[in-house]
Amino acid sequence: MGHETSETQTENAEVVSAQDPHDATPPGAASAIGGGPATEIPNAEVNDGVFQLTIKLPHEPHEIRIMVSTQEQMQDIRQTIVEYPDTLQYSCFHLELDGRRINDFIELSDVEGLTPESALTLVEDPYTEKDARMHVVRVRELLGAGGDRTDTLLGIDAGLSLHDDLAVTATTSLPSANGHADPTSSAASASGTGDYNLDAPASWECLMAPRRPAPPKTVKALTVSHWNPPPPSLRQRGHLLYLLVTTLEGDQCHITASVAGFYLNKCSNTKFDPFPRTSPKDLLRHSLLSLLSAISPSFGAAFQALSDANQQDRDPLSTFQPTNAIPASPWLVSPASCTLTAHQADLTRTQESYLLGGLENAETLRDWNEEFQSTRELPRETVQERVFRERLTSKLFADYNEAAARGAILVARGEVAPLNPTESDNAQIFVYNNIFFSFGADGVGTFTHEGGDAAARVATGKDVAGVRRLNQLDVPGLFTPGTVVVDYLGRRLVAQSIVPGIFKQREPGEHQIDYGGVEGKDVVATHGEFVAPFSVVSKALHTKKHAVWDKEGRRHELEGSVETKGLLGTDGRKYALDLYRITPLDIAWLEEHWIDLPHPLEASSEVKTNGDSRGVGYPHRMAVLRPELVDAFWKSKLAEFVNAELTRRKEAAVEGNDVFEPAPSSNGTALEPIVTGGGAVTETATETATELEKATATKLAEADRPAERVDVSGFDLALNPDVFNGQNPATPEEREEQARDERHVRDACAFLTDQVLPELMRDLDQGDVGFPMDGDSLTRLLHKRGINVRYSGTIAKLARGKGPRMLALQALAEREMVARAFKHVSNRYLRFLPVTFAASCTAHLLNQLLYRGADPAPTAVVDDEMRRLYSTAELGFTRVDGPTMRHDLEEEVRRRYGYTLSDDWASRLPPLPMLREVAQKLGLQLVAKDYHFDGHSCPVSPDVDAVPDRGRSPVTANGHFAANGHATAPAPANGGGGKKKKKARDASSSTPPRPSIGVQPDDIVNVVPVIKDAAPKSVLAAEALEAGRISMAQGQKELGQELLLESLSLHEQIYGILHPEVARVYGQLSMLYFQLEEKSAAVELARKAVIVSERTLGVDAADTVLSYLNLTLFEHGNGNTRLALAYVQHALELWKMMYGAHHPDSITTINNGAVMLQHLRCYHESRVWFEASVTISEQMFGRQSPHTATLLYQLAQALALDQDSKGAVSRMREAFNIYTTTLGPQDKNTKEAEHWLEQLTQNAVSIARHAKDVQARRVRRGPMTPRVTLGMRAQPAVGQSALEVGAVPETATSTGGRRRSLLDSRSIDELLKFIEGSEGRSRAGTGSGTGSSATSSSTKKRPGRGNPKRRGGLGTAAATGTGKSTVGAAA
């Protein structure tokens, strides 16, 4: 689905993108499947080949008109018709133009004689058995006739989205129909935040969707009849299958599906007579839907009611089924989804395999390898060919990933027989659904000297990453097998498509492998046909052609690592295998941490160990540098080369030498990139060089000579991936070259530790980039910078004692290390454990990790009957207690990360975020309830100790803020802010189970696989997006918008509309449109980003939270402030769930919420939120930081609005003093704070005098209303700088590079008039949410502000999130 804007071209883009078959529904197709109303397009013909096409139908309404593009295929038009609300009954048909049948696989532009005025005719086709089965499956989905679909791959509530329910809850509380704030409404009712407690612990309720009423039934049952399949004699007469329908009236109807359609037959439960029934009337319909309408009087009304229920308050994106992505499974599921009553009786659930795959189930068997390779061989010359190729590739990878994961689950559960049952468990191999499965363990001793099973497990993950890298490079003539790694119940399984010839027994003397190492490094094979494609790969990966030696000392020249293998398949294709070592070893790490007792590291006779890992070696030797690090290292060296050339040129210019001769290459060859002073970059063979060339072009632009060029062909840097890997050069020249290669690899390792890591720490410490929210976002940030996760311990060491932000980073890194260590420890117990013990084992280990009560931790719960049944099972997990678990985790962290945990690390773990981290890493789904690990409900402990209060609102003993000096009691944070809403929410959801101590086996309701795939990203869609950004940056607005819309359309066409990449492009485009003042389009795109992120990444993923934060900004800018506040609260609550209290970036989010509250004229609530942001700033930056001064400046303005003139003067004086100390008296911020301090002081004196006069004369002065509000900022993504966000231009300007100016834009005189109340009421309340600082002083303190009961317990210094809002942080 596209997005709506006021501009014509944006509307057109919606129509184009809506026709993609992956979009599941064309405009308005949701009448029966959960969409919205049809979109009418008045213009018959639009630009760029988009027009309205008329389709003539055989039945009512006899004609429809749909928007199409000439670039679409006819099968896309078919899909649109199938899902259009008026044509849902059609599924078996073809289209004709002037009596000629149109091929379904040609583009619309290739249809001869087709014009915008043409009309296509829909002609119903005879059914085949497959067509009939697919028709029945579709009808069952449309009717809601099926019960819950039990799926071994998809978890409970997979693809859940909370956005619609959140929006409905927020909008239903609005007093006005247009969704805008009522300026006269009270604080609590207007904002819905009166009860929200920023300091309350996280609650699992924020992850739960309210229960919706059961949809209306259209039929009681629709199943395959027990008379099915037809006997051979009747199959010859056109009978395809038999159905049994029970209507709402209670009638049982036996139906025959024939080649002509569906009709009532004479069968009964005991009599077989499948011929047409003549009484009461002869009914034959081509569609089963039409037949049901004819035989059931109540069907039509029920079907319409179902359609209305599906589309009520639901975005179509919330109901579509993902086609190119596996939906995310939440780690906490509603108790209502886990009860026995949630499982409905449905006979057809057992018949789905037959309906989907046929009687022989042969239709589900696919030759995956042939499909992968033939897709890769598709033409890619034109844009249309590239779109079709990438679209087919995306769909194929999605299908394969799903099939591989399903097969891996069966293999792990022991449901598939091995091909070699006599081998050990780790060495067994399997074939299922034409996919080859093996375990990620060293079953045959390949990695004996590399670390055994630990090395084999890591190698499989590296192999998937290597295959993904090659798939992204898309080298012509080089193929890779489909590869997926699945972690399930403690076992790692590798699923690969079967390469033709891989099992072929070759002639004696022939190697099983054609290129690379055959048996480790002992036997090496070479083949001339692999040199050319492997050289392209080497160039892209910045590795070199190098020499290796076999066990007999013979020299072989290889492109790529000796571990990388080339296989010439029997289909004539060249396959690249074993891509787990495409980059060099991280020799610096291995020399420090790897200890190989039987075979010491040949490059280092003295194995060094530090204090953290003494006596405990790294578990494997598969520590390689990340490709991102190699790219960054190469770019840095190229930048040095360019700088050196520029320096030499300038020196030559000074001497009058106009001739520039580039330095010759050391090997006589020249690389292709040429960088020119004008920024033009010629095409290169590798995509990786492009970014660097652009960067160096900028450097060259600084030169004085306009036409000068720098030829970088003299730059030659490539790494040898096989150094430090047992190679023994024979000659002095070879040893010299080997030493040079070793120096280059050591330089790359030093670049990682000396430049990349310190730069990351500096950026995070100074707040230049978004701070990670959880372990997953931290991991992605490290990988983006080229840092391996094994450096988490190094990061924790560098952060130790370096300030509050670094302490927060240290705590997050420690949490991630412990979670990963727990995964490895639990895998040891789960690996060979019978499936029936998995829940008991996992629950017991979780309790030993998290339980902190005074009493002994809960013991393992094991069913005695199961124990007797599996008498030989090793139940070692039952002997694990708390001290044993903590010791094992400490050892794992020591070995894997070179880091020693402190003695009190276990007590500092926040239980709920830690439980979430572990559950997501193991694929656990737990029932949502309060888990007690210390005798209290699971709290979220802050990672950094709170800074003591310094004169602002006191903090009560329970950690809640006090308002106006009075302690406030904690109140339920339900996001709506009222008891009625909480009661309504409680009434709509089932009562949660009674809390128990720790995690019980029954609390683990499901385990889903954790999947790593090798699917590449679309190059074409990314190119269009980047081109649009560049055009916008260059001021070419129209071209930029056209390219951005084209990129959006390409993303939707290639990936399908429900895909993480589509969610990201929605978010990026929404920010760009917001900057262009296209606020409606920005809001629409941001909503889509939220829903797609929730359904594909998870309702509590970091990207989902950031999408909510952006939507908050856009909704507020669009006038929907109260809805924006609901999103803020929900995002804050998610943040608490993910991180805990006091996240470093939560200042921005809480500030934005305070701005919104001021916009709604909820001054006291706004003041409390500002106080919370000041407290967190003191924790993160210190009391004397300019960051804190800016927030004190804002708080002073908020206090003025809240009629607290004394507090306003006090805070402004603090801000002025800090500015004077840190920035100097001449700084703009210092002077502005000084002016404000003077005016506020004068105003406070005048207010005090006036108050005395009022008291004397019994006169009450009217309350003040604000004119302006503070500016809002967008929350940067994890690892993204604030400048990259590019939020609102006025507030995005930085002062000093890191400090934003939030000063009011009006003059002091004008503001003074406003503060003193001399401006009329007609100008009050007009503050914008995107502009300047809120500033107004107060007159008289409002009565009752200090009453905690009236205030509803607002408070909190500990709002945790970069934008987590909470719609329910129930205490």
Side-chain angles (χ1 to χ4, degrees), residues 629-644:
L629 187 278
V630 176
D631 290 342
F633 177 67
W634 185 86
K635 292 174 184 177
S636 69
K637 291 299 182 181
L638 179 56
E640 292 178 6
F641 174 84
V642 171
N643 289 333

Side-chain angles (χ1 to χ4, degrees), residues 196-197 200-203 205-206 971-975 1133 1136 1366-1371:
Y196 182 65
N197 191 341
S203 170
E205 292 182 0
C206 67
N974 55 18
E1133 195 70 6
K1136 294 178 185 179
T1366 63
V1367 188

Side-chain angles (χ1 to χ4, degrees), residues 88-107:
L88 292 172
Q89 68 269 32
Y90 300 107
S91 66
C92 184
F93 62 90
H94 69 270
L95 297 173
E96 295 183 354
L97 177 62
D98 299 331
R100 302 189 311 274
R101 179 166 183 160
I102 305 175
N103 191 311
D104 290 339
F105 298 95
I106 65 173
E107 290 187 0

Side-chain angles (χ1 to χ4, degrees), residues 1009-1187:
V1010 179
I1011 304 170
K1012 298 181 180 179
D1013 63 71
K1017 296 181 180 180
S1018 169
V1019 177
L1020 182 61
E1023 287 175 352
L1025 179 62
E1026 186 62 25
R1029 284 174 171 167
I1030 294 174
S1031 299
M1032 298 293 290
Q1034 294 175 348
Q1036 303 177 23
K1037 180 178 177 180
E1038 294 183 1
L1039 176 60
Q1041 283 186 305
E1042 182 179 349
L1043 289 170
L1044 292 176
L1045 292 176
E1046 180 67 21
S1047 172
L1048 175 60
S1049 176
L1050 289 172
H1051 274 86
E1052 292 179 336
Q1053 289 185 57
I1054 291 170
Y1055 292 113
I1057 200 165
L1058 289 175
H1059 193 279
E1061 291 300 319
V1062 178
R1064 293 186 182 100
V1065 78
Y1066 279 152
Q1068 294 168 2
L1069 291 182
S1070 65
M1071 183 62 71
L1072 290 172
Y1073 272 101
F1074 189 72
Q1075 296 171 4
L1076 295 173
E1077 297 297 325
E1078 296 283 351
K1079 296 181 179 179
S1080 297
V1083 167
E1084 182 66 22
L1085 287 167
R1087 286 174 183 166
K1088 293 178 184 292
V1090 166
I1091 296 174
V1092 178
S1093 295
E1094 284 184 322
R1095 300 199 63 199
T1096 58
L1097 298 173
V1099 292
D1100 58 346
D1103 286 350
T1104 301
V1105 175
L1106 290 170
S1107 297
Y1108 266 114
L1109 296 179
N1110 287 336
L1111 179 58
T1112 293
L1113 181 68
F1114 306 154
E1115 288 283 13
H1116 174 69
N1118 208 30
N1120 301 323
T1121 302
R1122 272 174 289 180
L1123 181 59
L1125 271 173
Y1127 293 145
V1128 166
Q1129 294 179 11
H1130 180 65
L1132 281 172
E1133 195 70 6
L1134 292 179
W1135 220 332
K1136 294 178 185 179
M1137 179 75 69
M1138 298 166 59
Y1139 175 83
H1142 299 156
H1143 188 279
D1145 283 353
S1146 59
I1147 301 170
T1148 300
T1149 300
I1150 298 175
N1151 257 15
N1152 289 349
V1155 171
M1156 297 177 199
L1157 289 167
Q1158 284 190 349
H1159 183 77
L1160 295 177
R1161 299 165 64 181
C1162 304
Y1163 305 130
H1164 188 72
E1165 290 82 351
S1166 172
R1167 166 231 186 109
V1168 175
W1169 283 51
F1170 276 126
E1171 288 171 338
S1173 66
V1174 169
T1175 300
I1176 301 174
S1177 178
E1178 289 182 358
Q1179 289 180 228
M1180 296 298 115
F1181 302 106
R1183 181 69 172 177
Q1184 300 301 316
S1185 166
H1187 297 275

